[in-house]
Amino acid sequence: MDRRDLLKASLALGLSTVAGRVWAAPRADVRLLVVFLRGAYDAANVVIPTGSELYYRARPRIAVARPDPASPEASLPLDADWSLHPALRDTLHPLFAAGQLAFVPFAGTDDATRSHFQTQDTIELGQTFGPGRDYRSGFMARLAAELTRTRPIAFTEQRPLIFQGTAAGGKPVPNVGVARTGKPILDERQSRLIAAMYEGSPLAPSVQEGFRVRGEVFEAISAHRDQADRGAVSSKGFALAAERIGRLMREQFTLGFVDVGGWDTHVGQGGAKGYLANQLTDLGQGLAAFVREIGPGWNDTVVVVLSEFGRTFRENGGGGTDHGYGSAYWILGGSVRGGRIAGPQKRLDEGALFEHRDLPVLTNYRALLAGLLQRLYGLDRASLGRIFPGAAPADLGLV
């Protein structure tokens, strides 16, 4: 029995029921980070269908070459039909080879509007697509309300829609930006004055909790910055933010969210090199920094990387891709059953494309995430129904 089987067995034996919910006692310290790639990344040039002839006909300028060990610009084989962008050679490909990263192609929503903002809202709300959605209730806030032993946070300047609502105990989920965190705008005296203004009001607990969390995060980041001044880790963009997130989730938080922008590649996207390749390099370095920083806790951590939708299967006249439909989700973690392409698949030819232009959606994101959360936390159907109303979980065996 290997380590993953032992983990699965301990999870199965450690379930206990409280107030109609199923809790996995040995998994009380499990960490979950959701990384949202805003702008709709081009999944077909990252998790590449190199077994498809149509891919190469549809992308004469931006396609990434089939695997070739002699070429540093060739894609990296994942299986007989799929390959990975070479920009992720040193960061994510080793995780895939170690069985700690799985890709789920043909994933997405039932929202086919191809609208950035609407589809981002659809994913963050986690509710049935259509009228009557509650914009005060994001699915990660509902998850935090079900998990009474977790500590959630959004690593963003503003509280995102995905964390709108309250966690366990009726508290709002705090948020703090970590990419450009410097000296707090308000000193301790000013913070006390503002807190006093809200004393006795319904907002008082939120104000006090916000100041407390920001103070904790600033202290943690300040201490780490002093240690990192020797230049051991890159300090730019997401790589720095992810390193800080790893430290904070290792020591304080167990449920997190961060978003990364810049994935709307209508013009000059590039193939093995270029704009998208540079974006992927930064993203891969950030995720690798997160893994290093979280250390042994990686065995109890899962990272989900997703985007609002994919992009057109055919390149456009500007050497880029336009708004599409189906995407590919990434599931990473020390105990993830990775090293594979998971979920339903189909061979990509003309007849397989959605509306003759996009990757289809074969795995609904709510079903995918519900199945993942069910396995990760041992949640019962009632809890899953509150997090993703009306969604049946799809168990892809990812953990």
Side-chain angles (χ1 to χ4, degrees), residues 101-227:
L101 166 59
F103 294 106
V104 184
F106 306 112
T109 76
D110 49 2
D111 179 348
T113 62
R114 301 184 180 90
S115 163
H116 286 303
F117 300 121
Q118 180 164 312
T119 314
Q120 287 177 16
D121 289 354
T122 294
I123 290 178
E124 293 188 66
L125 291 172
Q127 303 168 27
T128 303
F129 174 64
R133 296 188 294 183
D134 184 359
Y135 280 79
R136 300 166 299 177
S137 178
F139 87 78
M140 288 191 74
R142 297 194 297 274
L143 171 61
E146 296 294 321
L147 301 174
T148 58
R149 295 179 296 173
T150 196
R151 190 174 182 197
I153 188 170
F155 298 104
T156 55
E157 297 291 342
Q158 303 294 327
R159 183 148 56 109
L161 188 60
I162 203 168
F163 263 137
Q164 290 296 320
T166 57
K171 295 182 179 180
V173 176
N175 66 279
V176 60
V178 294
R180 296 182 299 276
T181 300
K183 185 176 180 180
I185 297 175
L186 302 175
D187 61 27
E188 185 176 351
R189 182 186 65 83
Q190 293 169 321
S191 299
R192 286 199 304 268
L193 287 173
I194 293 176
M197 291 171 56
Y198 287 92
E199 188 173 355
S201 76
L203 292 176
S206 299
V207 173
Q208 294 171 355
E209 177 72 1
F211 283 135
R212 186 184 66 79
V213 170
R214 284 179 178 271
E216 287 183 4
V217 170
F218 174 70
E219 289 180 8
I221 290 175
S222 296
H224 194 212
R225 185 189 304 117
D226 292 341
Q227 298 169 13

Side-chain angles (χ1 to χ4, degrees), residues 5-297:
D5 291 330
L6 286 171
L7 179 61
K8 181 178 178 181
S10 65
L11 174 61
L13 293 173
L15 298 178
S16 58
T17 303
V18 180
R21 302 176 188 176
V22 179
W23 305 105
R27 304 292 289 167
D29 60 345
V30 67
R31 302 171 186 86
L32 174 64
L33 174 68
V34 174
V35 180
F36 201 124
L37 307 183
R38 295 197 188 274
Y41 90 100
D42 181 25
N45 253 28
V46 180
V47 185
I48 306 166
T50 45
S52 167
E53 294 296 335
L54 177 60
Y55 168 77
Y56 290 98
R57 293 199 304 270
R59 298 182 171 217
R61 291 175 292 175
I62 67 170
V64 181
R66 289 186 172 92
D68 178 358
S71 173
E73 295 187 13
S75 58
L76 310 169
L78 299 176
D79 67 11
D81 297 312
W82 300 90
S83 302
L84 187 65
H85 195 287
L88 300 172
R89 179 187 307 275
D90 298 325
T91 53
L92 296 191
H93 193 254
L95 290 177
F96 184 88
Q100 298 177 0
L101 166 59
F103 294 106
V104 184
F106 306 112
T109 76
D110 49 2
D111 179 348
T113 62
R114 301 184 180 90
S115 163
H116 286 303
F117 300 121
Q118 180 164 312
T119 314
Q120 287 177 16
D121 289 354
T122 294
I123 290 178
E124 293 188 66
L125 291 172
Q127 303 168 27
T128 303
F129 174 64
R133 296 188 294 183
D134 184 359
Y135 280 79
R136 300 166 299 177
S137 178
F139 87 78
M140 288 191 74
R142 297 194 297 274
L143 171 61
E146 296 294 321
L147 301 174
T148 58
R149 295 179 296 173
T150 196
R151 190 174 182 197
I153 188 170
F155 298 104
T156 55
E157 297 291 342
Q158 303 294 327
R159 183 148 56 109
L161 188 60
I162 203 168
F163 263 137
Q164 290 296 320
T166 57
K171 295 182 179 180
V173 176
N175 66 279
V176 60
V178 294
R180 296 182 299 276
T181 300
K183 185 176 180 180
I185 297 175
L186 302 175
D187 61 27
E188 185 176 351
R189 182 186 65 83
Q190 293 169 321
S191 299
R192 286 199 304 268
L193 287 173
I194 293 176
M197 291 171 56
Y198 287 92
E199 188 173 355
S201 76
L203 292 176
S206 299
V207 173
Q208 294 171 355
E209 177 72 1
F211 283 135
R212 186 184 66 79
V213 170
R214 284 179 178 271
E216 287 183 4
V217 170
F218 174 70
E219 289 180 8
I221 290 175
S222 296
H224 194 212
R225 185 189 304 117
D226 292 341
Q227 298 169 13
D229 277 346
R230 295 181 179 179
V233 181
S234 171
S235 62
K236 69 174 185 177
F238 179 67
L240 174 58
E243 182 189 7
R244 291 170 169 175
I245 291 168
R247 181 179 178 86
L248 291 166
M249 292 194 72
R250 185 186 75 208
E251 298 177 352
Q252 300 181 48
F253 301 99
T254 55
L255 185 62
F257 172 85
V258 64
D259 47 12
V260 184
W263 300 93
D264 196 14
T265 52
H266 287 284
V267 178
Q269 175 177 306
K273 293 184 177 180
Y275 178 81
L276 179 61
N278 294 337
Q279 287 280 104
L280 292 171
T281 297
D282 292 340
L283 178 65
Q285 290 175 349
L287 292 172
F290 174 86
V291 175
R292 289 193 302 270
E293 191 64 29
I294 210 161

Side-chain angles (χ1 to χ4, degrees), residues 220-397:
I221 290 175
S222 296
H224 194 212
R225 185 189 304 117
D226 292 341
Q227 298 169 13
D229 277 346
R230 295 181 179 179
V233 181
S234 171
S235 62
K236 69 174 185 177
F238 179 67
L240 174 58
E243 182 189 7
R244 291 170 169 175
I245 291 168
R247 181 179 178 86
L248 291 166
M249 292 194 72
R250 185 186 75 208
E251 298 177 352
Q252 300 181 48
F253 301 99
T254 55
L255 185 62
F257 172 85
V258 64
D259 47 12
V260 184
W263 300 93
D264 196 14
T265 52
H266 287 284
V267 178
Q269 175 177 306
K273 293 184 177 180
Y275 178 81
L276 179 61
N278 294 337
Q279 287 280 104
L280 292 171
T281 297
D282 292 340
L283 178 65
Q285 290 175 349
L287 292 172
F290 174 86
V291 175
R292 289 193 302 270
E293 191 64 29
I294 210 161
W298 180 238
N299 288 331
D300 298 306
T301 301
V302 171
V303 178
V304 177
V305 180
L306 50 79
S307 194
E308 61 262 40
F309 44 73
R311 306 190 73 80
T312 49
F313 199 66
R314 296 177 177 84
E315 66 180 58
N316 60 28
T321 49
D322 299 318
H323 297 179
Y325 187 43
S327 185
Y329 287 18
W330 314 356
I331 314 295
L332 305 79
S335 296
V336 165
R337 293 184 178 274
R340 62 193 178 96
I341 306 297
Q345 302 167 43
K346 63 168 57 177
R347 185 162 296 278
L348 284 166
D349 53 28
E350 291 284 358
L353 298 181
F354 176 74
E355 296 183 349
H356 306 291
R357 52 170 279 166
D358 304 322
L359 291 172
V361 171
L362 305 180
T363 298
N364 181 270
Y365 83 105
R366 297 201 311 146
L368 167 62
L369 294 178
L372 179 64
L373 297 180
Q374 185 178 49
R375 293 287 293 265
L376 191 61
Y377 295 108
L379 297 175
D380 63 13
R381 288 298 183 99
S383 289
L384 292 172
R386 289 187 286 269
I387 300 167
F388 293 112
D395 186 0
L396 303 185

